[in-house]
Amino acid sequence: MKAAPFEYARAASLSEVCALLATHGDGAKLLAGGQSLVPMMAMRLVRPAWLVDINEIAELKFIAVEKDMARTGACTRQGAVERDHALAARVPLLRQALAWVGHVQTRNRGTIGGSLAHADPCAELPLVAQVLGARMLLRSGTGARTLEAEKFFAGPMATNVRPGECLEEIHWPAWSWRHTGSAFTEISVRHGDFAMVAAAAQVAIDGDGRCVRAAFGLGGVGGTPLAFPKIAGRLVGTRLDDAAVNDAAHAAATETQPGSDLHASAEYRRHLAGVLAARALREARERARSL
Amino acid sequence: MSETLHAVSVEVNGKPRSAQVPARLSLVDWLRDDLLLTGTHVGCEHGICGACSVMLDGEPVRACLMYAVQAHGHRVTTVEGLAKPDGSMSVLQDSFCEAHGLQCGYCTPGMLIAAQGLLNTNPDPTEAQIRDAIGGNLCRCTGYQQIVEAVQLAAERTAKEAK
């Protein structure tokens, strides 16, 4: 349970990260919070030649709440995001999801960008990114580009980040409707473990209780977290009554192709997908109505 | 085989400590094997059990999921650092004895760090908050009930002392 030898560089700035990545190419791996990478290295599932430590780069650690979005630096700790009240007021789904992420000790060290770049299909933050349509700003020695969540996640533990690129910041869209509610729920073997299935939802209603926008998604039932914009679009104009919510959740669950493992069969996961999607949508609706 | 060594300077339990370490040396191995601070325990070595919890700049983290080189320039508090300056046990440590919050003791240093981390920011936690705070620490002996009671006792005692 000890990592294989590697060379280590503590980067002091983003430009230094880009230079190191350009020099060492595929042999280099970025070390953010290390809550997934370090265990994988201990088990020797990963043996990078170089680790580029981004933990001491101040410019990658910030939370900025703006009018129509919140921005977080890639190396911002999950615990810092969880505790930020202004952020929770604008993008409440983040705090709701983080309550399910690991434990206090891992959230104090784990980062937002690290979780997204790790791209575990069962992980909570990638699901939030997918549901909200977060945008990832990627930096390399030759420039910067932005990828929408939908294009960012490529498969289980795989993203479309190119060699030489570093995730710099994440833009989380904030909805401006007054009656906006969101919810996150999941089933796992033990609280804090990876989700068997996770569901996230956000809805906005007008003063008459009619849905003006809806978004929801599921984790753990495919190679990437899944959002269902077409199905969610059908909820717009409804009163989000239980029948409409159940129809949408069922339609989404039917589209999933989960795998089977020791803990749950594909059939059970698909069943959970429908139940949890409906639960998340109902909780989001109740929060929206209570505002 | 020779590995590159990196200089680290870390404040451990209030004292400056410096060393040359290979990059892959975990923080918990450095604390135990080089600094001989064996209070912190090594359990699973991959971030599941919580036995190796220490405070980094005042916040509980897993010392098996950090390399010692990453602690450079930071403050680390181990279970040895929880005791009072005269070496006697802290209120929390004493409460663990009083409430029988341990049997074999293997998880105890991690439990103490997790619980102290909670009490530092929330001196009057609910039972649910206590259970959440120690949720990342596995104990195979006590069933957790007496650990929760020990933390509650420590909170009560600290509140009384403050009056």
Side-chain angles (χ1 to χ4, degrees), chain A residues 1-3 5-8 10 31 35 38-39 41 44 53 55-56 83 103 105-106 108-109 190, chain B residues 1 4 6 23-24 29 45-46 53 56 59-60 62 64-67 69-70 72 74 135-138:
Chain A
M1 300 302 289
K2 310 285 183 194
F6 56 86
E7 295 296 327
Y8 170 88
R10 186 188 298 119
L31 174 60
Q35 304 300 292
V38 174
M41 287 176 63
R44 307 214 174 182
D53 186 351
N55 281 280
E56 301 297 326
R83 291 186 286 266
H103 304 283
Q105 292 100 321
T106 61
N108 279 339
R109 191 76 188 150
R190 295 169 309 175
Chain B
M1 189 180 69
T4 312
H6 302 265
R24 63 169 165 160
D29 284 345
E45 290 196 282
H46 66 289
S53 297
L56 180 76
E59 292 184 342
R62 300 203 188 299
C64 72
L65 296 189
M66 264 188 81
Y67 298 112
V69 63
Q70 295 187 274
H72 177 70
H74 293 274
N137 295 66
L138 297 182

Side-chain angles (χ1 to χ4, degrees), chain A residues 45-133:
Chain A
L45 296 169
V46 187
R47 297 178 70 149
W50 276 86
L51 269 195
V52 178
D53 186 351
I54 61 170
N55 281 280
E56 301 297 326
I57 304 177
E59 62 189 303
L60 290 180
K61 294 181 200 172
F62 66 88
I63 297 168
V65 180
E66 296 170 3
K67 191 167 171 288
D68 52 359
M69 68 167 166
R71 297 186 297 124
T72 55
C75 209
T76 309
R77 308 278 174 212
Q78 293 160 6
V81 168
E82 190 183 11
R83 291 186 286 266
D84 193 293
H85 297 305
L87 177 59
R90 287 302 279 142
V91 190
L93 196 49
L94 274 174
R95 179 183 279 180
Q96 289 158 357
L98 280 166
W100 299 89
V101 176
H103 304 283
V104 174
Q105 292 100 321
T106 61
R107 294 196 296 272
N108 279 339
R109 191 76 188 150
T111 66
I112 297 293
S115 175
L116 295 174
H118 185 56
D120 189 309
C122 302
E124 292 81 2
L125 291 172
L127 175 56
V128 173
Q130 191 78 287
V131 167
L132 294 181

